[in-house]
Amino acid sequence: MRNALIRLEDVGPGGPYNSTESLKKLRIIADYLKSERVPFHISLIPHFIDPPAGHSKSIDMLDDPYVRLFNDTINYMDQCSSGRTVGMHGYTHQFSNSISAIGDEFFSAECTENCPPDDSPDALSDRITFMNSYASSRMKAGYECFKKSDITLSWGLSTPHYTASNIQREIMEAWAGIFYENNPWTNDFKRISIIDRDSPFYRGVIYIPTPLYYVDGMRAEETIAGIIDALDGYGEGELASFFYHPFLEFSFIELAGSGCTYAENSYLKRLIRAFKERGFTFVSMINLVDFVPSTRKTNFFPGIDKQVMTGSFRDAAESGLVIWSAVNGTWHYCPCLLENFPNRQTDKISFGDVLMLSNWAVGNGWKPFTGDFDGDGIDDVVVWDPEQGEWQVAFSEGDRFVPAPQNGDAIWLRNWGVGPGWTPLTGDFDGDGISDILVVNCLLGDWQAALTRNHKFIPTGNALYPWAADVNMQPFAVDLNKDGKFALLARHPFLRNGTVDVAVSVIEKES
C-alpha cells in the first residue's frame, strides 16, 4: 500500500480563523475530508498572538465565547478524522512583536527581527539549566495550555517553521517523543526515522516526515503541480506526506444560510483526487507507529539489588512502578502518570516515590511478583522463597503495603514450589477476580496451580502434567479471550519454527 498523510497547518485561535464564518468553513473542510475517508492531522498553535492588532487568545481561556467556539470546532474536526488528530505547533509560533504563524518561536540563523534566543549547551546535561531553558519554557507552556483546555493533545510536536538550533532541538526532543516533520538529523525525508539518542533526559525520538512540503499560496498552481508530479517517484514504504494551510480553501467555499457550496476545483480537492487517482491511501500518522518513546527518569534506584515491577497499586486507573530492594527489604511505589503523554517530562510529584514497606522479604533468596490477591481492583505484592517453598503476600492500602493477614504471619503457603527448577506465574485462573499463583517445571512439563482462598493459596494438584515439556520453553499466563480466566501459553523458540501451545483454564470459581 502506498501511504499518504496530510496535516492542516498553523491553525490557532486567531489570524485567518478569528471569525465565526472562518470556523464554519473549517468544519466544512473537515466534513469533506471525512466524506473522502481521508484521516487528517491538525498542527495547532495553542496561544495565538497578534501584537499589532492587540490580539492574544489561548485555548485555555474557556470563559471566552470565541475560544469556546474555536475549541468546539477543533473537537468537531477531531471527530471527523481519526479522533487522534491534534498536535502542538509550538506554543505561540512567534516571539516578541511578531505575529503567530508568521514569526519564529525558536532560534533561526536566518531571523532578522524579533528573533528568539538560543539556549546554553549546559541545558543538555544539567537538569536545572534544562528546565529553565527558553525551549523548555515554551514546551511546558504549550503542554500546560492544552492541559487546561478541553482539547485533547494526541501527538507530540511539529516545530514552527521547522527551525531551531541543534541544542533547542534536543531540548524539544526531551519533551516530545514524536515529531511530525522532516528529520533534521538525516537526509532521508520519505521514511519514518527513529533516532535512538541516549540523553540524560530522554531516550529515542520518532520523526514522521512531510517530504512534499506545502502549497504556497503565493504560487499555488506551481506548487500543486510540483506535488502531483512528485507522486510518481514514491514507492512502497515511502510516505507521500504534505501539510496544507486550510485558509487557502476559504475562497472556494460560499456560505448560504444553513448550507454552502464548495467548489470542486479547490486546491485541496484537486490534490486529494490526484493522490487517489495514483493509488495512494491516506492514513493516520499514529497508525504508522506502534510505540512512542515517553518518560525517562535518571538516578532512579540505582544498584543491582533492586527489582522493578509494574502495576496499579493505589488506583486501578493509575499506572506505577514498585521497586524492591533485596538488601534491606524496602518497597517503594512510584506513579508514572503516563496519562501525561505526549509530555515526556513529568514533575517531581508525579514521578516521586512513596515508601510502602520496610524490612520485608530481605535477601536475594526471595522472588517478588504482583497481582490483585484480595479482589479490590488494586495490585498487591507476593514473594516466593524457592528454597523453602514459602509464599507471602502484602496487600496494598494505597499508601503502604501491609503483610496479610494483618494479625499473625503473612505466609499463605509452605513447602510448595520448592527448588530452582520451578518458574512462577500469577494470574486469575478461576475467573473470580482474584489473582492466583502457578509454578511450572519446563523440563518436565509439570504445571501446578494454587488458588487464592481466604488469605491462603490452596494447591489444586497437578494442573497439567506432562504438557509442553521443553527445557527451552517460555511460559506465560494471560487472559487471551477476555473471559476473566487466564490461559497458559508455552512458547517453544527452537521447536518447529517457534511453536506456541495454549491451554485454556476450566477451573470453576468458588460459589
Side-chain angles (χ1 to χ4, degrees):
M1 184 170 72
R2 302 171 77 193
N3 288 330
L5 292 89
I6 177 174
R7 187 180 79 224
L8 302 182
E9 187 79 348
D10 288 339
V11 180
Y17 311 105
N18 196 24
S19 69
T20 300
E21 178 179 322
S22 63
L23 296 181
K24 286 182 179 178
K25 290 184 176 182
L26 275 179
R27 291 183 181 230
I28 290 167
I29 294 170
D31 288 336
Y32 159 69
L33 292 171
K34 179 181 179 180
S35 71
E36 292 292 324
R37 297 184 178 180
V38 174
F40 58 91
H41 311 82
I42 300 173
S43 276
L44 184 63
I45 304 168
H47 190 164
F48 200 99
I49 299 177
D50 184 346
H55 177 95
S56 178
K57 300 282 187 180
S58 61
I59 59 174
D60 61 348
M61 296 178 176
L62 299 180
D63 292 334
D64 186 297
Y66 162 72
V67 170
R68 289 201 303 270
L69 182 59
F70 175 84
N71 290 8
D72 287 346
T73 299
I74 298 300
N75 287 327
Y76 177 85
M77 297 175 73
D78 186 38
Q79 293 307 308
C80 285
S81 186
S82 62
R84 297 182 294 180
T85 304
V86 180
M88 190 165 73
H89 197 36
Y91 172 49
T92 63
H93 198 324
Q94 59 82 235
F95 182 77
S96 186
N97 291 318
S98 61
I99 300 172
S100 289
I102 297 175
D104 291 302
E105 184 165 6
F106 298 98
F107 178 83
S108 171
E110 299 178 0
C111 182
T112 57
E113 61 178 335
N114 295 313
C115 299
D118 199 352
D119 281 304
S120 166
D122 293 341
L124 303 182
S125 57
D126 179 74
R127 181 73 182 178
I128 295 177
T129 308
F130 166 79
M131 292 300 296
N132 291 332
S133 67
Y134 169 77
S136 283
S137 73
R138 308 305 281 186
M139 294 297 295
K140 185 175 182 179
Y143 282 133
E144 286 297 318
C145 193
F146 270 99
K147 188 175 181 179
K148 295 175 183 177
S149 77
D150 54 0
I151 296 174
T152 299
L153 183 61
S154 297
W155 50 271
L157 184 74
S158 58
T159 309
H161 295 324
Y162 290 1
T163 58
S165 70
N166 288 347
I167 294 170
Q168 290 182 333
R169 172 69 55 182
E170 290 194 47
I171 294 172
M172 290 188 291
E173 288 176 353
W175 285 91
I178 186 166
F179 284 69
Y180 191 175
E181 61 188 84
N182 293 340
N183 182 352
W185 308 104
T186 73
N187 293 321
D188 186 357
F189 294 159
K190 289 186 177 182
R191 298 179 185 273
I192 295 174
S193 301
I194 300 176
I195 301 175
D196 188 22
R197 193 190 310 281
D198 185 7
S199 161
F201 310 128
Y202 71 104
R203 179 68 181 256
V205 63
I206 297 174
Y207 280 89
I208 309 290
T210 53
L212 293 170
Y213 292 97
Y214 69 107
V215 175
D216 184 342
M218 301 298 293
R219 48 192 189 94
E221 294 299 335
E222 177 186 347
T223 51
I224 288 172
I227 290 173
I228 294 173
D229 288 344
L231 292 179
D232 292 332
Y234 282 76
E236 295 289 333
E238 296 179 328
L239 298 177
S241 177
F242 72 105
F243 56 94
Y244 187 79
H245 296 87
F247 67 80
L248 295 177
E249 290 294 281
F250 288 178
S251 63
F252 296 98
I253 302 173
E254 293 187 10
L255 302 178
S258 59
C260 73
T261 58
Y262 191 169
E264 291 300 315
N265 67 334
S266 79
Y267 300 151
L268 183 59
K269 286 189 175 183
R270 287 161 55 189
L271 282 169
I272 297 300
R273 285 197 296 268
F275 275 79
K276 288 190 171 185
E277 287 168 358
R278 287 158 180 79
F280 286 90
T281 299
F282 283 91
V283 297
S284 168
M285 176 262 288
I286 291 294
N287 289 341
L288 297 177
V289 296
D290 295 317
F291 295 94
V292 175
S294 186
T295 305
R296 160 171 272 201
K297 176 71 173 177
T298 56
N299 297 320
F300 186 73
F301 294 95
I304 60 174
D305 66 304
K306 310 297 192 303
Q307 184 162 331
V308 179
M309 292 152 282
T310 62
S312 298
F313 300 95
R314 293 198 304 195
D315 186 302
E318 178 186 88
S319 59
L321 307 175
V322 161
I323 297 89
W324 167 66
S325 173
V327 171
N328 51 24
T330 58
W331 299 75
H332 287 82
Y333 172 65
C334 300
C336 295
L337 296 188
L338 296 179
E339 57 267 30
N340 284 341
F341 175 83
N343 183 355
R344 303 179 78 172
Q345 296 299 322
T346 54
D347 58 31
K348 291 182 179 179
I349 295 175
S350 64
F351 219 128
D353 66 86
V354 179
L355 178 61
M356 303 282 279
L357 181 60
S358 298
N359 198 34
W360 187 70
V362 180
N364 289 314
W366 293 101
K367 308 298 178 186
F369 310 93
T370 64
D372 179 8
F373 296 101
D374 56 0
D376 63 354
I378 300 175
D379 287 322
D380 312 299
V381 292
V382 59
V383 291
W384 165 54
D385 177 0
E387 184 174 342
Q388 304 296 326
E390 182 178 301
W391 300 75
Q392 298 189 29
V393 174
F395 290 147
S396 174
E397 294 189 352
D399 60 350
R400 59 178 180 163
F401 290 133
V402 178
Q406 295 183 33
N407 298 315
D409 64 46
I411 301 174
W412 283 30
L413 183 58
R414 289 183 170 90
N415 300 317
W416 190 80
V418 179
W422 296 102
T423 298
L425 301 172
T426 62
D428 183 0
F429 300 112
D430 58 354
D432 64 353
I434 302 176
S435 295
D436 310 298
I437 58 174
L438 182 143
V439 290
V440 54
N441 185 308
C442 298
L443 177 62
L444 302 177
D446 188 356
W447 305 68
Q448 298 188 23
L451 304 180
T452 303
R453 297 284 188 266
N454 299 318
H455 293 188
K456 297 291 182 183
F457 292 133
I458 308 300
T460 64
N462 288 335
L464 278 176
Y465 176 74
W467 181 72
D470 177 2
V471 67
N472 296 307
M473 185 254 287
Q474 299 167 343
F476 303 92
V478 62
D479 186 1
L480 284 175
N481 57 4
K482 302 303 179 183
D483 66 349
K485 288 185 179 181
F486 278 54
L488 303 179
L489 274 67
R491 179 177 181 267
H492 308 274
F494 305 113
L495 180 63
R496 293 190 295 278
N497 297 319
T499 296
V500 176
D501 293 316
V502 180
V504 178
S505 175
V506 292
I507 301 174
E508 295 296 332
K509 62 183 177 183
E510 220 173 31
S511 58

